[in-house]
Structure formats: structure tokens, C-alpha cells
Amino acid sequence: MPGSQKAIAATPEIHQYLVHHGRADDPLLEELARVTRENFPAVAHMTLPLEEAALLSFLVRLTAASAIVEVGMFTGSSTIALARALPPGGTVLTCEIDPRVVEIGAPYLERAGVADRVDVRVGPALDTLRALPATAHLDLVFIDADKPGYLGYWEELVPRVRPDGLLIVDNTLFSGDVVDPEPDSKAAAVHAFNEHARADERVELVMVNAADGITLARRRAV
Ligand SMILES: C[S@@+](CC[C@H](N)C(=O)[O-])C[C@H]1O[C@@H](n2cnc3c(N)ncnc32)[C@H](O)[C@@H]1O
């Protein structure tokens, strides 16, 4: 094993502790998570964890990102986290294929006070991304949709992110299944994406062992 290994297993107590001390408590997102569980119990685990929502807001503020694209809105926890931190005039364009989840999330965008700066595009994300201007105009992107689609989204988005812009990719450890010698198709897709991103000289990247694994990539000037 190269280097030392210091990640701490996120027991429920540790999770509660880091939400509290990381100031990630968020009554609106907690209510949205509860409503999501009630409406979509089978897939409610896809909701962004509170501490990751806080991280997204932090990164948007830190980078002063104004032009943001999100792939995978679901009921909108990450959309709210991104949009809340926008500077005046900033926008989040978010892609979501399932209109039923958008319908549940829409009132929460209103209540978060961000509906006026969020552009929801319902349909296959790849079509939405391909229709965007081809220039490097984006400050920050967040990829969190279907895992077999990650590579395609990455390839559409990397050229559209400005030099020093940020790409954030969620679930890149995929519950640890990326190291499974016989991964299922989704874990295999995430692993293939990780291999691809690692070899991509257009970005500088780090992988963070937080939540379900988060890859942060800075677009290099070319
Ligand atoms: C992991 S969830 C996103 C979670 C969300 N970011 C949050 O904060 O709660 C993935 C979402 O991607 C959507 N999705 C799957 N395939 C898609 C596609 N081809 N185009 C657009 N959205 C897609 C799913 O419907 C689902 O809502």
C-alpha cells in the first residue's frame, strides 16, 4: 500500500458529527430528502448528502462560479446547493430525464429562492449538453447522473469548461465497488470513467474519499 491510509469510516455518529460541526444542517434540504423518500422510496438514496451539499455551495463561492451546468438534478438537492451560492446574474442549467422527480423538486427550488436562476432541461442529458455552445464558457460543472453516461458527459463538458474552471464528479468510488474484481455494470462504468479521467491531460484532478467518492478536476489552460 503506497503512502498512509487515513480515511475514517462514516458511521452514523461520525456522519452526524460532521454534518453538525461542518455546518451542513439544512432544514429545507432535510425536508426535501424526507419528501423524496416518501415519493421515491426505491431511489431516495440518490439524494445528495447534506455535507456534500455544503461542499458544493462552498466550492461555488470559492471559485465565484457563475455559469454552471449540472447533469442529474433528481429532486434538486444539489441544484439548490449550487444555485444558492451563485453570484448575482449567475445561472445553473440542470439536466434531468425524469419529469416526475422535477415536479417534486420544483417547489423546493422556489422555496430556496433560486428558481429564477435555474434552467431545468428535461430530457437526455447528452442531447442537452451537445446543444450548448462549443466554446469554453462554463465555470463549474457537476456530474451526478446515470453512471454509464459519465464518460460521454465528461467528453462533452471538458472542452466547454474554461481554463481553471472546475469539474466535480460524484460517486466515483461507487460504494467501494470500483475495486471489485467482478463489478456490476454500473461499477464497471464508473471504473472505466475513472481510468479515462486519470489519463486525461486536459485536467488536474484529485479524488476525495468523502460521501460516495468525489472527483475534483481543474481544467488546464491548453
Ligand atoms: C444520483 S441522481 C442525482 C441526484 C441529485 N444530484 C441530488 O442532489 O439529489 C441521478 C439522476 O440522473 C437522472 N438521469 C439518469 N439518466 C439520465 C440521462 N440520460 N439524462 C439526464 N438525467 C438522467 C436520473 O433520473 C436521476 O434523477
Side-chain angles (χ1 to χ4, degrees):
M1 171 71 60
S4 64
Q5 187 185 338
K6 287 193 176 160
I8 293 169
T11 62
E13 292 75 19
I14 293 281
H15 183 245
Q16 205 172 18
Y17 186 93
L18 74 85
V19 166
H20 181 65
H21 288 84
R23 299 184 183 164
D25 309 275
D26 193 319
L28 187 72
L29 291 189
E30 287 168 53
E31 181 184 321
L32 176 55
R34 181 176 51 72
V35 168
T36 300
R37 278 195 300 277
E38 287 164 7
N39 283 274
F40 307 105
V43 290
H45 61 272
M46 297 198 302
T47 302
L48 201 77
L50 290 177
E51 70 277 19
E52 193 175 355
L55 176 65
L56 289 186
S57 299
F58 185 88
L59 290 171
V60 172
R61 287 201 186 89
L62 189 69
T63 58
S66 180
I68 297 179
V69 166
E70 170 180 68
V71 186
M73 170 181 162
F74 192 41
T75 54
S77 291
S78 51
T79 318
I80 290 170
L82 294 164
R84 267 177 176 169
L86 285 168
T91 55
V92 174
L93 182 153
T94 183
C95 309
E96 175 51 56
I97 203 165
D98 183 349
R100 295 167 309 153
V101 296
V102 173
E103 194 183 326
I104 296 296
Y108 287 86
L109 298 183
E110 291 284 349
R111 284 176 56 190
V114 299
D116 61 342
R117 65 205 75 157
V118 175
D119 177 2
V120 182
R121 303 285 180 93
V122 178
L126 209 49
D127 293 349
T128 302
L129 299 181
R130 285 180 175 153
L132 295 176
T135 53
H137 65 291
L138 301 175
D139 299 311
L140 186 149
V141 303
F142 179 56
I143 300 176
D144 185 20
D146 54 310
K147 307 316 165 197
Y150 270 29
L151 229 154
Y153 304 143
W154 178 263
E155 281 305 307
E156 292 301 325
L157 286 168
V158 170
R160 291 179 166 91
V161 171
R162 65 162 171 81
D164 285 331
L166 181 63
L167 297 105
I168 309 170
V169 188
D170 200 21
N171 308 110
T172 50
L173 291 174
F174 208 65
S175 307
D177 295 350
V178 286
V179 296
D180 192 325
E182 292 181 22
D184 70 14
S185 61
K186 287 183 185 175
V190 175
H191 176 60
F193 166 75
N194 288 337
E195 292 275 299
H196 181 83
R198 181 178 189 271
D200 192 336
E201 294 293 339
R202 296 172 296 180
V203 297
E204 172 193 1
L205 70 75
V206 292
M207 279 187 87
V208 184
N209 184 11
D212 193 26
I214 305 169
T215 294
L216 302 175
R218 179 185 67 85
R219 179 83 160 97
R220 288 191 167 118
V222 275

